């Protein structure tokens, strides 16, 4: 798979390094979804609240990794905040990201 990534210029994100650099995981699912399971230490800011919380996210001054159920909402959150120059990454689905962060 790494050969295909090189051929097509797909960059791999080192989530472990982002967390070592003080990264913060923001889960953009609804509070109900978040309460049914989430990454330990993550913050819940539902997607519909992201625009009103941009200043708070900017003030974190740390890498931000968004996650959700499948990667769609976290992709939207990434687009919204990246346009403001914030260091953000789409971590995709929360359970997949949790496995990556915990090397499972």
């Amino acid at each position: 798979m790494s050969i295909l990534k090189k051929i097509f210029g797909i960059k791999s994100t080192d989530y472990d390094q982002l967390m070592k650099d003080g990264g913060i995981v923001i889960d953009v699912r609804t509070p109900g979804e978040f309460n049914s399971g989430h990454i330990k230490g993550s913050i819940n800011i539902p997607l519909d609240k992201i625009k009103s919380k941009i200043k708070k996210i900017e003030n974190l001054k740390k890498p931000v990794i968004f996650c959700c159920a499948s990667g769609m909402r976290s992709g939207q959150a990434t687009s919204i905040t990246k346009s403001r120059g914030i260091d953000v990454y789409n971590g995709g689905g929360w359970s997949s990201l949790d496995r990556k962060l915990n090397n499972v």
Side-chain angles (χ1 to χ4, degrees):
M1 185 70 149
S2 63
I3 293 172
L4 290 176
K5 287 182 179 181
K6 287 180 183 178
I7 291 171
F8 292 104
I10 299 169
K11 295 179 182 176
S12 181
T13 302
D14 186 346
Y15 295 106
D16 287 328
Q17 188 59 51
L18 289 173
M19 296 306 287
K20 287 176 187 171
D21 293 342
I24 297 171
V25 177
I26 298 178
D27 191 318
V28 297
R29 296 177 298 152
T30 65
E33 289 174 294
F34 183 79
N35 290 333
S36 70
H38 57 272
I39 295 172
K40 185 178 178 181
S42 62
I43 299 168
N44 181 223
I45 302 176
L47 178 61
D48 64 346
K49 306 279 189 226
I50 290 293
K51 286 183 181 177
S52 66
K53 301 289 184 179
I54 290 257
K55 201 66 171 161
K56 176 181 178 179
I57 296 168
E58 276 179 325
N59 289 337
L60 294 172
K61 298 188 186 317
K62 296 180 180 193
V64 172
I65 304 167
F66 287 112
C67 67
C68 62
S70 67
M72 296 297 291
R73 288 176 280 181
S74 57
Q76 290 176 304
T78 300
S79 294
I80 291 166
T81 52
K82 194 172 271 195
S83 69
R84 295 284 298 259
I86 302 170
D87 187 16
V88 294
Y89 302 86
N90 180 1
W94 78 270
S95 58
S96 173
L97 179 59
D98 192 34
R99 286 190 300 274
K100 290 175 190 171
L101 292 174
N102 292 301
N103 299 310
V104 176

